[in-house]
């Protein structure tokens, strides 16, 4: 084995590192899958700023209100605002292999829950678990990665 082989191997691994890192973080664009119907519901973009994740609805794919629904059940500044463009996930921080400590809004019922995010399938799926009180209780959706 020549001296160049380890150097080339290191370069190859480093070249793949950004793509690998992007898939091991929730940052990116996701198709939300309705946990009741199993059908795509919306497109959400998760971004990171100052170590905290935030998720915004880019597009609603399916709604009981039809195209361009508003958050009728929401309180405060979100009341009767369009769901498209709405921040529904905020203050989520990395904690070991999961991201938690933040909140998620369900625009359908206007309620806010604690949230825990767990990467699955090599970063191609995201378990989004909303709960009140203990993480053992609550409900989960599996979102599918659309793009990093």
């Amino acid at each position: 084995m020549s001296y160049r082989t380890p150097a080339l191997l290191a370069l190859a691994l480093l070249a793949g590192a950004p793509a690998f890192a992007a898939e091991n973080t929730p940052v990116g664009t996701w198709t939300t899958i309705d946990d009741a119907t199993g059908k795509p519901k919306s497109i959400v973009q998760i971004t990171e700023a100052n170590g905290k994740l935030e998720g915004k609805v880019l597009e609603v794919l399916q709604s009981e209100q039809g195209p361009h629904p508003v958050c009728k059940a929401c309180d405060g500044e979100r009341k009767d605002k369009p769901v498209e463009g709405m921040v529904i996930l905020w203050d989520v921080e990395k904690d070991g292999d999961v991201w938690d400590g933040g909140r998620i809004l369900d625009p359908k019922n206007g309620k806010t829950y604690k949230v825990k995010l767990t990467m699955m399938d090599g970063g191609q799926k995201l378990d989004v678990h909303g709960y009140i009180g203990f993480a053992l209780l609550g409900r989960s959706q599996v979102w599918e990665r659309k793009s990093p």
Side-chain angles (χ1 to χ4, degrees), residues 48-86:
E48 182 178 357
N50 301 318
K52 294 189 178 188
L53 301 181
E54 177 178 282
K56 180 189 294 188
V57 177
L58 298 180
E59 181 181 0
V60 175
L61 303 172
Q62 177 185 327
S63 167
E64 293 171 359
Q65 295 180 35
H68 312 294
V70 296
C71 194
K72 292 179 182 178
C74 288
D75 292 328
E77 64 185 30
R78 291 184 176 96
K79 176 101 176 122
D80 295 323
K81 298 291 187 211
V83 174
E84 290 176 341
M86 185 176 288

mmCIF file of all heavy atoms in Angstrom, residues 48-86:
data_model
loop_
_atom_site.group_PDB
_atom_site.id
_atom_site.type_symbol
_atom_site.label_atom_id
_atom_site.label_comp_id
_atom_site.label_asym_id
_atom_site.label_seq_id
_atom_site.Cartn_x
_atom_site.Cartn_y
_atom_site.Cartn_z
ATOM 1 N N GLU A 48 -32.000 25.585 10.719
ATOM 2 C CA GLU A 48 -31.313 25.709 12.007
ATOM 3 C C GLU A 48 -30.732 27.102 12.134
ATOM 4 O O GLU A 48 -30.128 27.615 11.195
ATOM 5 C CB GLU A 48 -30.201 24.678 12.131
ATOM 6 C CG GLU A 48 -29.493 24.729 13.471
ATOM 7 C CD GLU A 48 -28.418 23.664 13.615
ATOM 8 O OE1 GLU A 48 -28.251 22.839 12.700
ATOM 9 O OE2 GLU A 48 -27.735 23.686 14.656
ATOM 10 N N ALA A 49 -30.921 27.707 13.286
ATOM 11 C CA ALA A 49 -30.318 29.001 13.597
ATOM 12 C C ALA A 49 -29.922 28.983 15.063
ATOM 13 O O ALA A 49 -30.742 28.646 15.926
ATOM 14 C CB ALA A 49 -31.288 30.139 13.317
ATOM 15 N N ASN A 50 -28.667 29.303 15.347
ATOM 16 C CA ASN A 50 -28.157 29.354 16.721
ATOM 17 C C ASN A 50 -28.394 28.048 17.475
ATOM 18 O O ASN A 50 -28.741 28.054 18.654
ATOM 19 C CB ASN A 50 -28.767 30.530 17.485
ATOM 20 C CG ASN A 50 -28.464 31.846 16.824
ATOM 21 O OD1 ASN A 50 -27.354 32.085 16.373
ATOM 22 N ND2 ASN A 50 -29.463 32.709 16.735
ATOM 23 N N GLY A 51 -28.245 26.907 16.772
ATOM 24 C CA GLY A 51 -28.365 25.602 17.410
ATOM 25 C C GLY A 51 -29.792 25.139 17.648
ATOM 26 O O GLY A 51 -30.006 24.099 18.250
ATOM 27 N N LYS A 52 -30.780 25.906 17.180
ATOM 28 C CA LYS A 52 -32.182 25.528 17.364
ATOM 29 C C LYS A 52 -32.844 25.332 16.008
ATOM 30 O O LYS A 52 -32.588 26.064 15.060
ATOM 31 C CB LYS A 52 -32.926 26.596 18.154
ATOM 32 C CG LYS A 52 -32.425 26.695 19.581
ATOM 33 C CD LYS A 52 -33.279 27.586 20.414
ATOM 34 C CE LYS A 52 -32.742 27.605 21.837
ATOM 35 N NZ LYS A 52 -33.636 28.307 22.733
ATOM 36 N N LEU A 53 -33.698 24.317 15.948
ATOM 37 C CA LEU A 53 -34.421 24.013 14.722
ATOM 38 C C LEU A 53 -35.769 24.715 14.707
ATOM 39 O O LEU A 53 -36.399 24.906 15.746
ATOM 40 C CB LEU A 53 -34.650 22.510 14.591
ATOM 41 C CG LEU A 53 -33.422 21.612 14.574
ATOM 42 C CD1 LEU A 53 -33.842 20.158 14.423
ATOM 43 C CD2 LEU A 53 -32.468 22.009 13.455
ATOM 44 N N GLU A 54 -36.182 25.076 13.469
ATOM 45 C CA GLU A 54 -37.486 25.684 13.254
ATOM 46 C C GLU A 54 -38.067 25.080 11.988
ATOM 47 O O GLU A 54 -37.348 24.866 11.014
ATOM 48 C CB GLU A 54 -37.317 27.195 13.091
ATOM 49 C CG GLU A 54 -38.602 27.928 12.801
ATOM 50 C CD GLU A 54 -38.398 29.428 12.692
ATOM 51 O OE1 GLU A 54 -38.266 30.089 13.738
ATOM 52 O OE2 GLU A 54 -38.367 29.927 11.543
ATOM 53 N N GLY A 55 -39.352 24.784 11.994
ATOM 54 C CA GLY A 55 -40.003 24.201 10.829
ATOM 55 C C GLY A 55 -41.148 25.060 10.345
ATOM 56 O O GLY A 55 -41.988 25.484 11.135
ATOM 57 N N LYS A 56 -41.163 25.305 9.037
ATOM 58 C CA LYS A 56 -42.183 26.148 8.425
ATOM 59 C C LYS A 56 -42.898 25.361 7.327
ATOM 60 O O LYS A 56 -42.265 24.659 6.543
ATOM 61 C CB LYS A 56 -41.527 27.379 7.804
ATOM 62 C CG LYS A 56 -42.506 28.329 7.135
ATOM 63 C CD LYS A 56 -41.818 29.411 6.338
ATOM 64 C CE LYS A 56 -41.043 30.340 7.214
ATOM 65 N NZ LYS A 56 -40.529 31.503 6.475
ATOM 66 N N VAL A 57 -44.221 25.502 7.247
ATOM 67 C CA VAL A 57 -45.010 24.845 6.215
ATOM 68 C C VAL A 57 -44.807 25.597 4.902
ATOM 69 O O VAL A 57 -45.096 26.789 4.807
ATOM 70 C CB VAL A 57 -46.511 24.822 6.574
ATOM 71 C CG1 VAL A 57 -47.329 24.187 5.447
ATOM 72 C CG2 VAL A 57 -46.749 24.084 7.885
ATOM 73 N N LEU A 58 -44.282 24.889 3.896
ATOM 74 C CA LEU A 58 -44.103 25.488 2.571
ATOM 75 C C LEU A 58 -45.346 25.312 1.712
ATOM 76 O O LEU A 58 -45.691 26.195 0.921
ATOM 77 C CB LEU A 58 -42.905 24.873 1.849
ATOM 78 C CG LEU A 58 -41.536 25.058 2.494
ATOM 79 C CD1 LEU A 58 -40.461 24.395 1.645
ATOM 80 C CD2 LEU A 58 -41.221 26.531 2.697
ATOM 81 N N GLU A 59 -45.995 24.146 1.865
ATOM 82 C CA GLU A 59 -47.152 23.845 1.021
ATOM 83 C C GLU A 59 -48.057 22.846 1.727
ATOM 84 O O GLU A 59 -47.583 21.889 2.328
ATOM 85 C CB GLU A 59 -46.657 23.258 -0.302
ATOM 86 C CG GLU A 59 -47.733 22.921 -1.297
ATOM 87 C CD GLU A 59 -47.183 22.312 -2.577
ATOM 88 O OE1 GLU A 59 -45.956 22.144 -2.714
ATOM 89 O OE2 GLU A 59 -47.997 21.990 -3.442
ATOM 90 N N VAL A 60 -49.352 23.062 1.640
ATOM 91 C CA VAL A 60 -50.329 22.108 2.153
ATOM 92 C C VAL A 60 -50.784 21.266 0.963
ATOM 93 O O VAL A 60 -51.256 21.802 -0.037
ATOM 94 C CB VAL A 60 -51.527 22.813 2.824
ATOM 95 C CG1 VAL A 60 -52.590 21.799 3.239
ATOM 96 C CG2 VAL A 60 -51.065 23.617 4.029
ATOM 97 N N LEU A 61 -50.622 19.954 1.075
ATOM 98 C CA LEU A 61 -50.980 19.046 -0.012
ATOM 99 C C LEU A 61 -52.397 18.509 0.132
ATOM 100 O O LEU A 61 -53.055 18.203 -0.855
ATOM 101 C CB LEU A 61 -49.993 17.865 -0.051
ATOM 102 C CG LEU A 61 -48.518 18.236 -0.191
ATOM 103 C CD1 LEU A 61 -47.648 16.996 -0.029
ATOM 104 C CD2 LEU A 61 -48.264 18.915 -1.522
ATOM 105 N N GLN A 62 -52.854 18.381 1.386
ATOM 106 C CA GLN A 62 -54.168 17.813 1.657
ATOM 107 C C GLN A 62 -54.746 18.489 2.888
ATOM 108 O O GLN A 62 -54.088 18.576 3.921
ATOM 109 C CB GLN A 62 -54.013 16.314 1.887
ATOM 110 C CG GLN A 62 -55.286 15.598 2.239
ATOM 111 C CD GLN A 62 -55.016 14.132 2.566
ATOM 112 O OE1 GLN A 62 -54.130 13.511 2.023
ATOM 113 N NE2 GLN A 62 -55.792 13.590 3.476
ATOM 114 N N SER A 63 -55.978 18.967 2.775
ATOM 115 C CA SER A 63 -56.617 19.633 3.903
ATOM 116 C C SER A 63 -58.132 19.464 3.816
ATOM 117 O O SER A 63 -58.697 19.490 2.716
ATOM 118 C CB SER A 63 -56.265 21.122 3.897
ATOM 119 O OG SER A 63 -57.090 21.834 4.786
ATOM 120 N N GLU A 64 -58.765 19.325 4.964
ATOM 121 C CA GLU A 64 -60.230 19.263 5.007
ATOM 122 C C GLU A 64 -60.839 20.590 4.580
ATOM 123 O O GLU A 64 -61.999 20.646 4.181
ATOM 124 C CB GLU A 64 -60.687 18.889 6.413
ATOM 125 C CG GLU A 64 -60.299 17.480 6.818
ATOM 126 C CD GLU A 64 -60.547 17.179 8.274
ATOM 127 O OE1 GLU A 64 -61.017 18.057 9.014
ATOM 128 O OE2 GLU A 64 -60.260 16.039 8.686
ATOM 129 N N GLN A 65 -60.058 21.684 4.670
ATOM 130 C CA GLN A 65 -60.533 23.008 4.277
ATOM 131 C C GLN A 65 -60.299 23.293 2.789
ATOM 132 O O GLN A 65 -60.633 24.365 2.316
ATOM 133 C CB GLN A 65 -59.810 24.102 5.068
ATOM 134 C CG GLN A 65 -60.073 24.104 6.535
ATOM 135 C CD GLN A 65 -59.305 25.235 7.223
ATOM 136 O OE1 GLN A 65 -59.135 26.316 6.665
ATOM 137 N NE2 GLN A 65 -58.833 24.975 8.422
ATOM 138 N N GLY A 66 -59.676 22.347 2.090
ATOM 139 C CA GLY A 66 -59.357 22.575 0.687
ATOM 140 C C GLY A 66 -58.018 23.279 0.562
ATOM 141 O O GLY A 66 -57.232 23.315 1.512
ATOM 142 N N PRO A 67 -57.747 23.858 -0.621
ATOM 143 C CA PRO A 67 -56.449 24.523 -0.818
ATOM 144 C C PRO A 67 -56.329 25.790 0.046
ATOM 145 O O PRO A 67 -57.325 26.451 0.318
ATOM 146 C CB PRO A 67 -56.434 24.859 -2.305
ATOM 147 C CG PRO A 67 -57.866 24.846 -2.733
ATOM 148 C CD PRO A 67 -58.593 23.914 -1.809
ATOM 149 N N HIS A 68 -55.126 26.066 0.484
ATOM 150 C CA HIS A 68 -54.800 27.274 1.249
ATOM 151 C C HIS A 68 -55.611 27.411 2.545
ATOM 152 O O HIS A 68 -56.284 28.422 2.771
ATOM 153 C CB HIS A 68 -54.943 28.520 0.373
ATOM 154 C CG HIS A 68 -54.274 28.381 -0.948
ATOM 155 N ND1 HIS A 68 -52.907 28.268 -1.082
ATOM 156 C CD2 HIS A 68 -54.786 28.291 -2.201
ATOM 157 C CE1 HIS A 68 -52.600 28.129 -2.357
ATOM 158 N NE2 HIS A 68 -53.716 28.133 -3.061
ATOM 159 N N PRO A 69 -55.550 26.399 3.417
ATOM 160 C CA PRO A 69 -56.299 26.458 4.676
ATOM 161 C C PRO A 69 -55.726 27.507 5.628
ATOM 162 O O PRO A 69 -54.571 27.899 5.520
ATOM 163 C CB PRO A 69 -56.118 25.057 5.254
ATOM 164 C CG PRO A 69 -54.809 24.608 4.704
ATOM 165 C CD PRO A 69 -54.737 25.188 3.317
ATOM 166 N N VAL A 70 -56.580 27.929 6.550
ATOM 167 C CA VAL A 70 -56.147 28.831 7.619
ATOM 168 C C VAL A 70 -56.268 28.086 8.937
ATOM 169 O O VAL A 70 -56.988 27.086 9.045
ATOM 170 C CB VAL A 70 -56.981 30.137 7.655
ATOM 171 C CG1 VAL A 70 -56.775 30.936 6.378
ATOM 172 C CG2 VAL A 70 -58.445 29.855 7.891
ATOM 173 N N CYS A 71 -55.563 28.576 9.943
ATOM 174 C CA CYS A 71 -55.563 27.928 11.256
ATOM 175 C C CYS A 71 -56.707 28.507 12.094
ATOM 176 O O CYS A 71 -56.515 29.399 12.917
ATOM 177 C CB CYS A 71 -54.211 28.120 11.941
ATOM 178 S SG CYS A 71 -53.999 27.021 13.354
ATOM 179 N N LYS A 72 -57.912 27.980 11.864
ATOM 180 C CA LYS A 72 -59.108 28.454 12.570
ATOM 181 C C LYS A 72 -59.045 28.164 14.064
ATOM 182 O O LYS A 72 -59.546 28.939 14.865
ATOM 183 C CB LYS A 72 -60.355 27.795 11.976
ATOM 184 C CG LYS A 72 -60.673 28.231 10.574
ATOM 185 C CD LYS A 72 -61.908 27.520 10.053
ATOM 186 C CE LYS A 72 -62.191 27.939 8.623
ATOM 187 N NZ LYS A 72 -63.352 27.230 8.078
ATOM 188 N N ALA A 73 -58.440 27.034 14.440
ATOM 189 C CA ALA A 73 -58.412 26.613 15.842
ATOM 190 C C ALA A 73 -57.257 27.224 16.634
ATOM 191 O O ALA A 73 -57.186 27.053 17.845
ATOM 192 C CB ALA A 73 -58.341 25.088 15.926
ATOM 193 N N CYS A 74 -56.358 27.928 15.951
ATOM 194 C CA CYS A 74 -55.198 28.521 16.636
ATOM 195 C C CYS A 74 -55.604 29.701 17.497
ATOM 196 O O CYS A 74 -56.631 30.351 17.265
ATOM 197 C CB CYS A 74 -54.158 28.991 15.612
ATOM 198 S SG CYS A 74 -53.278 27.664 14.793
ATOM 199 N N ASP A 75 -54.748 30.007 18.485
ATOM 200 C CA ASP A 75 -54.927 31.177 19.338
ATOM 201 C C ASP A 75 -53.903 32.234 18.945
ATOM 202 O O ASP A 75 -52.927 31.944 18.252
ATOM 203 C CB ASP A 75 -54.682 30.804 20.814
ATOM 204 C CG ASP A 75 -55.754 29.875 21.351
ATOM 205 O OD1 ASP A 75 -56.910 29.975 20.918
ATOM 206 O OD2 ASP A 75 -55.418 29.039 22.222
ATOM 207 N N GLY A 76 -54.097 33.437 19.450
ATOM 208 C CA GLY A 76 -53.094 34.489 19.320
ATOM 209 C C GLY A 76 -52.794 34.886 17.887
ATOM 210 O O GLY A 76 -53.684 34.931 17.042
ATOM 211 N N GLU A 77 -51.502 35.114 17.617
ATOM 212 C CA GLU A 77 -51.080 35.640 16.320
ATOM 213 C C GLU A 77 -51.319 34.675 15.155
ATOM 214 O O GLU A 77 -51.360 35.094 14.009
ATOM 215 C CB GLU A 77 -49.604 36.033 16.366
ATOM 216 C CG GLU A 77 -48.679 34.860 16.596
ATOM 217 C CD GLU A 77 -47.222 35.254 16.766
ATOM 218 O OE1 GLU A 77 -46.954 36.358 17.262
ATOM 219 O OE2 GLU A 77 -46.361 34.436 16.401
ATOM 220 N N ARG A 78 -51.489 33.394 15.440
ATOM 221 C CA ARG A 78 -51.722 32.411 14.371
ATOM 222 C C ARG A 78 -53.198 32.245 14.013
ATOM 223 O O ARG A 78 -53.529 31.651 12.999
ATOM 224 C CB ARG A 78 -51.134 31.049 14.773
ATOM 225 C CG ARG A 78 -49.623 31.045 14.811
ATOM 226 C CD ARG A 78 -49.110 29.634 15.118
ATOM 227 N NE ARG A 78 -47.675 29.570 15.081
ATOM 228 C CZ ARG A 78 -46.889 29.677 16.137
ATOM 229 N NH1 ARG A 78 -47.406 29.859 17.330
ATOM 230 N NH2 ARG A 78 -45.578 29.603 16.005
ATOM 231 N N LYS A 79 -54.082 32.784 14.830
ATOM 232 C CA LYS A 79 -55.528 32.637 14.618
ATOM 233 C C LYS A 79 -55.925 33.146 13.240
ATOM 234 O O LYS A 79 -55.609 34.262 12.855
ATOM 235 C CB LYS A 79 -56.294 33.393 15.696
ATOM 236 C CG LYS A 79 -57.793 33.382 15.523
ATOM 237 C CD LYS A 79 -58.411 32.382 16.445
ATOM 238 C CE LYS A 79 -59.920 32.418 16.348
ATOM 239 N NZ LYS A 79 -60.460 31.133 15.978
ATOM 240 N N ASP A 80 -56.590 32.272 12.465
ATOM 241 C CA ASP A 80 -57.105 32.574 11.131
ATOM 242 C C ASP A 80 -56.032 32.984 10.119
ATOM 243 O O ASP A 80 -56.341 33.599 9.099
ATOM 244 C CB ASP A 80 -58.205 33.650 11.204
ATOM 245 C CG ASP A 80 -59.428 33.148 11.960
ATOM 246 O OD1 ASP A 80 -59.766 31.952 11.822
ATOM 247 O OD2 ASP A 80 -60.043 33.935 12.698
ATOM 248 N N LYS A 81 -54.772 32.627 10.393
ATOM 249 C CA LYS A 81 -53.672 32.898 9.458
ATOM 250 C C LYS A 81 -53.480 31.697 8.541
ATOM 251 O O LYS A 81 -53.776 30.559 8.921
ATOM 252 C CB LYS A 81 -52.364 33.184 10.209
ATOM 253 C CG LYS A 81 -52.419 34.406 11.098
ATOM 254 C CD LYS A 81 -52.506 35.665 10.288
ATOM 255 C CE LYS A 81 -52.393 36.850 11.207
ATOM 256 N NZ LYS A 81 -53.096 38.005 10.791
ATOM 257 N N PRO A 82 -52.964 31.923 7.330
ATOM 258 C CA PRO A 82 -52.713 30.803 6.418
ATOM 259 C C PRO A 82 -51.712 29.818 7.021
ATOM 260 O O PRO A 82 -50.717 30.211 7.626
ATOM 261 C CB PRO A 82 -52.111 31.473 5.182
ATOM 262 C CG PRO A 82 -52.455 32.917 5.294
ATOM 263 C CD PRO A 82 -52.602 33.212 6.754
ATOM 264 N N VAL A 83 -51.994 28.523 6.844
ATOM 265 C CA VAL A 83 -51.086 27.491 7.330
ATOM 266 C C VAL A 83 -49.804 27.511 6.496
ATOM 267 O O VAL A 83 -48.706 27.333 7.041
ATOM 268 C CB VAL A 83 -51.763 26.100 7.304
ATOM 269 C CG1 VAL A 83 -50.783 25.004 7.679
ATOM 270 C CG2 VAL A 83 -52.970 26.085 8.248
ATOM 271 N N GLU A 84 -49.931 27.760 5.187
ATOM 272 C CA GLU A 84 -48.739 27.868 4.340
ATOM 273 C C GLU A 84 -47.946 29.099 4.770
ATOM 274 O O GLU A 84 -48.483 30.192 4.874
ATOM 275 C CB GLU A 84 -49.128 27.945 2.867
ATOM 276 C CG GLU A 84 -49.683 26.619 2.377
ATOM 277 C CD GLU A 84 -50.174 26.651 0.940
ATOM 278 O OE1 GLU A 84 -50.438 27.747 0.406
ATOM 279 O OE2 GLU A 84 -50.306 25.568 0.345
ATOM 280 N N GLY A 85 -46.683 28.891 5.077
ATOM 281 C CA GLY A 85 -45.828 29.966 5.575
ATOM 282 C C GLY A 85 -45.756 30.020 7.094
ATOM 283 O O GLY A 85 -44.953 30.757 7.663
ATOM 284 N N MET A 86 -46.577 29.227 7.772
ATOM 285 C CA MET A 86 -46.629 29.245 9.241
ATOM 286 C C MET A 86 -45.501 28.410 9.843
ATOM 287 O O MET A 86 -45.210 27.316 9.386
ATOM 288 C CB MET A 86 -47.987 28.699 9.704
ATOM 289 C CG MET A 86 -48.213 28.774 11.199
ATOM 290 S SD MET A 86 -49.882 28.225 11.678
ATOM 291 C CE MET A 86 -50.857 29.606 11.075
#
